[in-house]
Amino acid sequence: MSQARKSERVEQTERERPAERGWTVRAGGREDFPAVVEVVGEALLASDEREVSRERLAPLLAEDGYGRLLLAVEADRAGRGEPSGDERAVGDGRVIGSVNAFSFRMAVPGGIRPVAGVTGVGVWPTRRRQGVLTALMRRQLADIRDRGENLAALWASEGAIYGRFGYALANSEYRSSIRVEHARLRPDAPRDPGLSTELVRASGARADLERVHATVASVQTGRLQRSPAFWDAALRDTPDTREGRSSLKAVVVSGADGPRGYALYRTLRKGEDGNRASLHVEEITATSPAAWTALYEHLFTRDLVARVDFASVAQDDPLQYLLTDPTRLATTFDDALWLRLVDVPAALAERSYAAPVDVVLEVADRHAPWNAGRWHLRADRSGAACEATVAAPDLSLDVSRLGAAHLGGNALTGYLRTGLLTEHTPGAVNLLDTALSRPEAPFCDQDF
């Protein structure tokens, strides 16, 4: 870490030190994990038994050695009518808030980049509105920057919270459903008689699933490289994950060169359709057009199935183009990935651009002051540079607007039309939007 960056961290820590309020922020570890599960579980109204949550989450945190936990710890308040020895107790007091992150690698325009997957965010209900979350989030941003991760991402349980901290929706994802009598594919949908289709228990197909997923995740913007612990979680097949449905099944489509696509799904044989079942697709992806067709044809021709539901699909999901009548596909906007630029110049410089752009950005950032200021972005298809400048800005915007546009799934023009950014040089937003654009919609299939 440079001396200047260390000075920034010291100054920021001094400004945010909350000790006078009776609590402090510190790094956590394995021994703090049970208390963290209690706090976050209560904050998110989790229905899981805490023991089940610990069992499910521990392997994921262990991959980072529990080294990214941050805690807000309150000293014991003896004599104030509070219970002692509760589940939040740790050596130096009682946990009242926590944040965590996973060390991911994500496909972004320009290649695979490290990204902090923010997770486990929660504040004890009786300690809300006291600055706990703000202190934790600011400390985490500084820690992420120190690790050399220029981006942070999260799934928001309550979106209004994270916009305050510089995050923004970076893509659009959907839940979709179709009744099988309407699920007819176009006659000219690509088909390959050389492909084979096999249905197995999901755990027995792991090697094929990993191979396909790694291929797709290396090129599809927004996808995360999936670690062994996250594969364990994706294939977890226990009563608490089934929710009354069947065991997890995998249908794998293969060619002479190996697997080319898969779908993970469960079935539920009861409900409004009497004896007929619904089929719930948890994941589906493929590396070739014919493999997509083969997967859909398997799903739509299962006997006794009345409806097929897809848990999460991209804005440009192939099914809407392959159906003879795409209006029969019911779609509902679902949770989408939120993104934040932790280091603005570094994130913009490591990205690829679809067209030349030369623009001065005046960035506001309340919680990561190292980003605040003017940045001269010069980029074309051969590369990019982003440096501090004193030149007059072409546009002024909050850091969250850059997060929304960074994966190429959203345009800045909407923020301009609604007055949520300021264009000083006419046409600057349109030029930047063109440069940031991507031909495919970003998509993330990994919850965390």
Side-chain angles (χ1 to χ4, degrees), residues 359-376:
V359 64
V360 174
L361 308 173
E362 185 173 53
V363 177
D365 194 334
R366 290 181 54 206
H367 300 289
W370 53 84
N371 286 328
R374 295 179 184 178
W375 304 99
H376 186 187

Side-chain angles (χ1 to χ4, degrees), residues 18-98:
E20 66 275 9
R21 302 185 187 184
W23 50 268
T24 56
V25 173
R26 66 163 173 84
R30 183 190 300 268
E31 66 280 3
D32 302 305
F33 179 56
V36 168
V37 171
E38 181 68 22
V39 170
V40 176
E42 188 62 42
L44 299 182
L45 302 178
S47 57
D48 286 349
E49 293 291 336
R50 300 297 185 252
E51 184 176 345
V52 173
S53 295
R54 290 196 297 270
E55 178 188 355
R56 176 173 52 86
L57 295 170
L60 305 179
L61 273 70
E63 284 196 323
D64 271 318
Y66 296 82
R68 304 195 66 157
L69 274 175
L70 291 173
L71 315 176
V73 180
E74 179 182 71
D76 288 329
R77 297 185 175 189
R80 301 194 187 186
E82 297 188 5
S84 60
D86 66 24
E87 295 297 326
R88 298 179 290 128
V90 289
D92 51 346
R94 187 176 287 112
V95 176
I96 61 170
S98 176

Side-chain angles (χ1 to χ4, degrees), residues 153-177:
L154 57 82
W155 298 96
S157 57
E158 195 172 349
I161 294 174
Y162 296 100
R164 292 165 31 207
F165 297 107
Y167 291 83
L169 281 171
N171 66 340
S172 297
E173 298 187 11
Y174 299 87
R175 286 176 284 126
S176 64
S177 179

Side-chain angles (χ1 to χ4, degrees), residues 154-160 168-177 310-316 329-338 404 409-410 415 441-444:
L154 57 82
W155 298 96
S157 57
E158 195 172 349
L169 281 171
N171 66 340
S172 297
E173 298 187 11
Y174 299 87
R175 286 176 284 126
S176 64
S177 179
F310 296 86
S312 185
V313 298
Q315 187 173 11
D316 57 356
L329 186 66
T331 59
T332 305
F333 182 77
D334 199 7
D335 287 346
L337 195 72
W338 292 62
N410 297 311
Y415 294 108
F443 178 69
C444 182

Side-chain angles (χ1 to χ4, degrees), residues 14 41 63 121 136 142 154 159 161 163 172 232 288 341 373 390 412 419 421 435:
E14 289 297 326
E63 284 196 323
V121 181
L136 286 166
L154 57 82
I161 294 174
S172 297
D232 291 342
S288 72
L341 273 61
V390 295
L412 294 170
L421 61 76

